[in-house]
Amino acid sequence: MKRSLVVATIVMIVPLALAQQKLADPWLAHPVDERTFRSYLDFFAYDRQLPFATRVSNVEDDQSLRRERLSFQSTSGVRVPAILTEPARSSTAKKPAIIILHGGAPRGKETTAQLATLLARGGWSVLAIDLPYFGDRTTDLLMTFSEQEKHEKLYNQPAAYLSWITQLSKDVSRSYDLLVAEHDVDPKRVAILGVSRGAIAASIAGAVDRRLAGVIMLYGGHFDALENNHLPAACPANYIGRISPRPLLMINGTQDSDMIRDRSVEPLFRLAKQPKQIIWTEGGHMFMTEEHRAAMIQWLREKIR
């Protein structure tokens, strides 16, 4: 009797949870109108005259690459730790660049070192930054970095998550400013690339800052498997359609149990406008092969000219 009651309860709870998720976010079906979207942009305003006050802690040369560990002031009282990886050879031409946003790993930007190296060898200057509460920006908000903790304390806390998204978007815009002002980067050839949670943030930052030349989302989507709520101003469904006419590339896994194909990825991709492309990998979360990496590099060479 008890077992059948438990089974029945589970059967009832699962559809209810999915229904609540759908009810909590109508914007995936109907994104906000242009007037409402423009009102969101006030959240992302920042002081462009604020000094960067850049600090460099280490510089190393490694196999024709130069890596610089630095930090800079993003907004008043907020510093962003970053790693700049770029080709060591000198050139008089202004360089293309990519800003990288990592996923929800405690080591932050360190987890994108291999990706940054790949892109730098392809000729891009790559600035990987720490997201708020991760890497060198850790606080006592997140201690274990378990999926449960991240969702209970951040991702499923609508007000806190909106604040996180808006600060991160400001950090991206300031990263763009820094690259152009201090690192001789071509202002017309700066793209943003996000990984997992960073991909969700990249879709928002890429829509907000129209100076960015293109957006790459690696294994991102609308909600992840444990998300259940966010405010409309923090919802990628209200932003992804506004990346156009700049190009968008998504790479996702057919068997991803975190960013689920039919519930999270495909509905969001449908909202994006041309030019857009999605590449499916036969595997789970972050399962990229050499073929997919090569396709990403080729896309960058074709689209970010």
Side-chain angles (χ1 to χ4, degrees), residues 192-251:
I192 183 169
L193 183 156
V195 180
S196 190
R197 178 61 50 175
I200 296 175
S203 70
I204 294 175
V208 168
D209 196 329
R210 302 196 66 80
R211 299 174 300 174
L212 295 167
V215 178
I216 297 178
M217 299 174 64
L218 301 183
Y219 299 87
H222 170 247
F223 269 139
D224 73 15
L226 297 180
E227 252 177 294
N228 56 38
N229 197 12
H230 53 216
L231 294 170
C235 179
N238 290 325
Y239 293 85
I240 196 166
R242 293 174 164 95
I243 293 171
S244 176
R246 294 159 301 146
L248 167 70
L249 173 66
M250 294 178 67
I251 298 180

Side-chain angles (χ1 to χ4, degrees), residues 253-265:
T254 58
Q255 306 302 315
D256 194 333
S257 60
D258 192 30
M259 302 290 179
I260 299 172
R261 178 173 183 165
D262 60 354
R263 196 174 79 191
S264 176
V265 180

Side-chain angles (χ1 to χ4, degrees), residues 136-165:
D136 292 326
R137 299 175 77 176
T138 53
T139 68
D140 58 4
L141 177 71
L142 300 177
M143 303 297 290
T144 68
F145 292 89
S146 67
E147 290 303 315
Q148 180 180 357
E149 182 190 52
K150 287 184 292 185
H151 285 79
E152 285 182 355
K153 293 185 176 182
L154 183 58
Y155 302 156
N156 287 332
Q157 293 293 328
Y161 186 62
L162 174 59
S163 178
W164 185 81
I165 280 288

Side-chain angles (χ1 to χ4, degrees), residues 4-235:
S4 62
L5 180 61
V6 170
V7 172
T9 302
I10 292 173
V11 170
M12 291 175 63
I13 287 175
V14 172
L16 179 60
L18 293 177
Q20 287 175 335
Q21 185 186 72
K22 291 176 182 177
L23 289 173
D25 190 357
W27 312 291
L28 195 57
H30 302 287
V32 298
D33 60 27
E34 189 63 21
R35 182 177 180 181
T36 303
F37 172 74
R38 295 226 157 261
S39 72
Y40 296 161
L41 297 181
D42 290 340
F43 290 119
F44 304 97
Y46 66 97
D47 181 3
R48 295 192 182 187
Q49 303 306 313
L50 192 70
F52 294 113
T54 305
R55 301 172 189 163
V56 177
S57 60
N58 186 59
V59 177
E60 62 181 45
D61 293 309
D62 176 32
Q63 298 180 3
S64 300
L65 295 181
R66 185 177 187 272
R67 292 188 184 87
E68 182 175 295
R69 289 183 175 272
L70 57 94
S71 67
F72 61 92
Q73 185 173 219
S74 174
T75 56
S76 182
V78 176
R79 294 193 65 83
V80 177
I83 301 175
L84 177 66
T85 306
E86 55 187 350
R89 61 183 180 275
S90 60
S91 172
T92 57
K94 288 188 176 293
K95 301 166 288 190
I98 299 171
I99 300 166
I100 293 185
L101 306 182
H102 62 79
R107 293 177 58 237
K109 63 186 178 303
E110 308 293 340
T111 62
T112 64
Q114 184 177 8
L115 179 59
T117 297
L118 172 70
L119 294 168
R121 293 201 187 286
W124 286 274
S125 292
V126 183
L127 187 70
I129 68 172
D130 277 330
L131 279 55
Y133 308 127
F134 294 85
D136 292 326
R137 299 175 77 176
T138 53
T139 68
D140 58 4
L141 177 71
L142 300 177
M143 303 297 290
T144 68
F145 292 89
S146 67
E147 290 303 315
Q148 180 180 357
E149 182 190 52
K150 287 184 292 185
H151 285 79
E152 285 182 355
K153 293 185 176 182
L154 183 58
Y155 302 156
N156 287 332
Q157 293 293 328
Y161 186 62
L162 174 59
S163 178
W164 185 81
I165 280 288
T166 54
Q167 181 60 53
L168 178 53
S169 295
K170 294 174 188 178
D171 298 341
V172 169
S173 291
R174 287 286 282 176
S175 296
Y176 175 98
D177 296 340
L178 179 78
L179 287 167
V180 172
E182 297 191 354
H183 295 279
D184 203 30
V185 160
D186 186 343
K188 295 182 179 180
R189 292 192 293 161
V190 182
I192 183 169
L193 183 156
V195 180
S196 190
R197 178 61 50 175
I200 296 175
S203 70
I204 294 175
V208 168
D209 196 329
R210 302 196 66 80
R211 299 174 300 174
L212 295 167
V215 178
I216 297 178
M217 299 174 64
L218 301 183
Y219 299 87
H222 170 247
F223 269 139
D224 73 15
L226 297 180
E227 252 177 294
N228 56 38
N229 197 12
H230 53 216
L231 294 170
C235 179

